[in-house]
Amino acid sequence: MLLPSEIEAKSLIPAVRAVLAKKLIKEYSLREEDIAKVLGITQAAVSNYVRGTRGDLELDFKA
């Protein structure tokens, strides 16, 4: 059984990062490098979030 903090770390946080990364690129035309600095992650992670290879697509809520 997973603890709530484990669920958050494995599912919720990556989903939120994916939504934020996509929104910042689409609406504000920010570069992946700039988004990475803001979110405190690597540019490669941002790229994965945008491509959909990271972050649970089932949790992709409409922001």
Side-chain angles (χ1 to χ4, degrees):
M1 180 173 197
L2 292 175
L3 296 173
S5 60
E6 292 174 313
I7 294 169
E8 179 181 308
K10 290 183 179 186
S11 300
L12 185 61
I13 293 172
V16 170
R17 285 180 177 161
V19 169
L20 284 172
K22 290 176 187 177
K23 189 171 185 88
L24 290 171
I25 287 174
K26 183 178 178 183
E27 294 186 14
Y28 298 99
S29 302
L30 290 178
R31 298 179 311 143
E32 289 180 357
E33 295 85 7
D34 297 330
I35 295 168
K37 286 181 184 177
V38 169
L39 296 179
I41 56 178
T42 65
Q43 178 274 325
V46 173
S47 179
N48 286 331
Y49 288 131
V50 172
R51 286 184 291 142
T53 56
R54 204 177 216 187
D56 190 357
L57 297 177
E58 295 293 321
L59 295 176
D60 191 18
F61 39 91
K62 306 301 178 225

